[in-house]
Structure formats: C-alpha cells, structure tokens
Amino acid sequence: MLRGDQRLVHFDGTRWTTVPTVGPVDDSFPEVPLEAVPGRLFKGGDALYTYADGAWQTFALPEQVHIRDIDALAADDAYATGMRYPVDGGHPVTYHWDGTTWTLLEEVPVRAGTDTAKIAAESTDSVYVAGWADDDARPPIPSVAHWNGAQWRDVTGDLSALYVHAIAPDGRGGLWVTGSDQTEPASSGPVFWHYDGTAWTKQDGATAPDGDTRWPSYTFYDLAPADDAGSFWAVGHYSTPLDPRGDQDVHGLIERSTPSPAS
C-alpha cells in the first residue's frame, strides 16, 4: 500500500468486499476513529463522515476541530467527541447524530487543558466522555463527564493520575476506565477504575510473571464486554525489566476481569 493510500473492506458474513472511502488516513496523531453498526459506518478526523447504502455523507467541522472517538447505539443514534485544537486555548467538542445530521452538544465541563479522546454511549440518556490534561511537572489529570440526555455533569471524583486510553459502560449505568497509571512514586502495574454512578474504586489488574513495575510499564488501550455478568476484556501491553545492556521487551497483554459486584 502506498503511503497516503487507504483501504476499507466490509465482511457481510460470507465474503469481503472493498468499500470506497473518504477522509484522512490513520497514519498520524490524532487517530482516525471508525465505528460501525448495522446499516451505517461512522468515521472521524477532520470532519464527520457516515457511510450507508453505498454512499458517503460528509459533515464539515469548524477549523482546527478534530474528532478523536465515536460510539454508536444505532444507525440513527451516535455520538462523537474530540477537540478544537490547540489543547491550550481550545475546548472539547461533542456531537450527536440523529440519522440525518450531526448536532453540536453543549460544551463538556472538564478541566481547562483537557484533551477529550474517549466517548462511550450506553443509552440516549447515558453517555460518558473522558480525557486528560497533561503537565510535565505532575501526573496527568483525568476528567470524566456524563450526559444524561439533557445536560453534562462532571463525575471525575477521585479518579486521578491516569492517561485515559479506554472507557466502557458496565451495563448498570456505571463506567470502567483504564489506560496507563502514573501514580507517584512511579511504580505502576495494571490498573482499572470503576464508577458505580456515585463513587470511584481503583482496582489492580493481573501482573505478568516477567513484567516490570519499577515505573509505569502496563498500558491498556481497549475494553470490551466479556459476558452479561459485568466481566470485560482488556487489551494492551507490558514491558519487562531492563537487561544488563539497557534493553527491554514489550509484550501484548490480554486480561479478563471477574464479574462486577451486583448493583
């Protein structure tokens, strides 16, 4: 594949077919999100794109706005979040798709300097947006906000020192959050945070036998439900201790949680 080219393919249950595509190539930061539900494909980036019935529709965004993540409940109900860059002096943006067009929602109430990069929709009246503010002089400051269908509420609470790379509803109105824990002093293993709708609980994941915990060396990038009992899969990587030559290995890591306590 030539640099700058891109391919999109669709599997209908029997075979793969090529789909024409539009918009930016996912070869640079920020990433270009894709989300698919029966009947429609959504794509982000420097605009909002939807694909259905063999045709793309493009929704233009203001200058310097970039969509970082999309989550969809149905072909006529989707949410997208991102930023009007630069982060300093810019602000988060969140849009809702109603089957015809994208509508800008009210601004998310997060700390100034927060780069909103993740969105998770559980229902039309339960949508979470998360991100973090990065300051070299201290650990990252995460932020999480909840949309109840009418307004946003800051629910960050005790969540702290985390680069937020993945969020997922727990199926009970709450939220799981993970990423890269930067708790000081820097000695971090795999960490997950759970929000039950009122308070946050920090939980340790499983450490690898050869993993290093002298500094943040575990990172998770995605979460997905594992069953109907509240368990989930987490996918990421971990690093091993430095060898005598100063080298270390990085390995993929998949973990499955135990069921969440009954609400």
Side-chain angles (χ1 to χ4, degrees):
M1 184 171 67
L2 296 176
R3 179 172 176 81
D5 197 8
Q6 58 181 321
R7 295 287 186 269
L8 184 63
V9 293
H10 175 251
F11 184 65
D12 63 6
T14 303
R15 64 192 183 94
W16 291 94
T17 55
T18 300
V19 176
T21 189
V22 297
V25 181
D26 187 10
D27 64 355
S28 62
F29 181 84
E31 297 87 354
V32 176
L34 286 173
E35 177 70 13
V37 293
R40 191 168 292 273
L41 173 70
F42 301 93
K43 182 179 181 180
D46 57 357
L48 279 160
Y49 309 90
T50 66
Y51 179 81
D53 301 323
W56 284 96
Q57 177 183 350
T58 300
F59 181 86
L61 297 171
E63 185 177 359
Q64 294 295 95
V65 170
H66 197 107
I67 297 300
R68 301 287 305 281
D69 198 19
I70 302 173
D71 199 12
L73 298 169
D76 60 355
D77 191 8
Y79 296 83
T81 194
M83 286 290 297
R84 180 158 192 164
Y85 288 103
V87 174
D88 293 335
H91 57 81
V93 294
T94 306
Y95 289 86
H96 175 246
W97 167 260
D98 62 7
T100 302
T101 190
W102 292 93
T103 301
L104 181 66
L105 301 179
E106 66 181 69
E107 190 171 328
V108 180
V110 294
R111 181 185 183 277
T114 296
D115 193 350
T116 54
K118 295 298 172 183
I119 192 164
E122 185 173 26
S123 66
T124 56
D125 57 1
S126 183
V127 180
Y128 289 92
V129 168
W132 70 84
D134 199 1
D135 188 329
D136 292 337
R138 58 189 174 190
I141 303 174
S143 292
V144 179
H146 181 252
W147 173 257
N148 65 6
Q151 62 183 4
W152 290 103
R153 181 169 66 96
D154 183 355
V155 297
T156 305
D158 294 331
L159 181 67
S160 62
L162 185 74
Y163 284 117
V164 179
H165 295 312
I167 64 176
D170 67 1
R172 299 183 175 93
L175 188 72
W176 284 103
V177 176
T178 190
S180 177
D181 183 36
Q182 302 289 309
T183 302
E184 296 180 347
S187 57
S188 171
V191 166
F192 301 90
W193 287 79
H194 180 248
Y195 177 67
D196 64 6
T198 302
W200 289 91
T201 303
K202 187 177 183 180
Q203 302 181 19
D204 293 330
T207 56
D210 59 342
D212 189 4
T213 57
R214 291 177 299 167
W215 48 73
S217 57
Y218 288 79
T219 300
F220 290 101
Y221 294 103
D222 206 1
L223 292 169
D227 54 34
D228 295 330
S231 298
F232 60 86
W233 294 103
V235 179
H237 72 253
Y238 72 96
S239 59
T240 60
L242 293 173
D243 63 23
R245 296 175 299 178
D247 297 327
Q248 63 181 171
D249 294 325
V250 177
H251 301 288
L253 180 62
I254 300 175
E255 296 195 5
R256 177 174 171 150
S257 73
T258 55
S260 303
S263 57

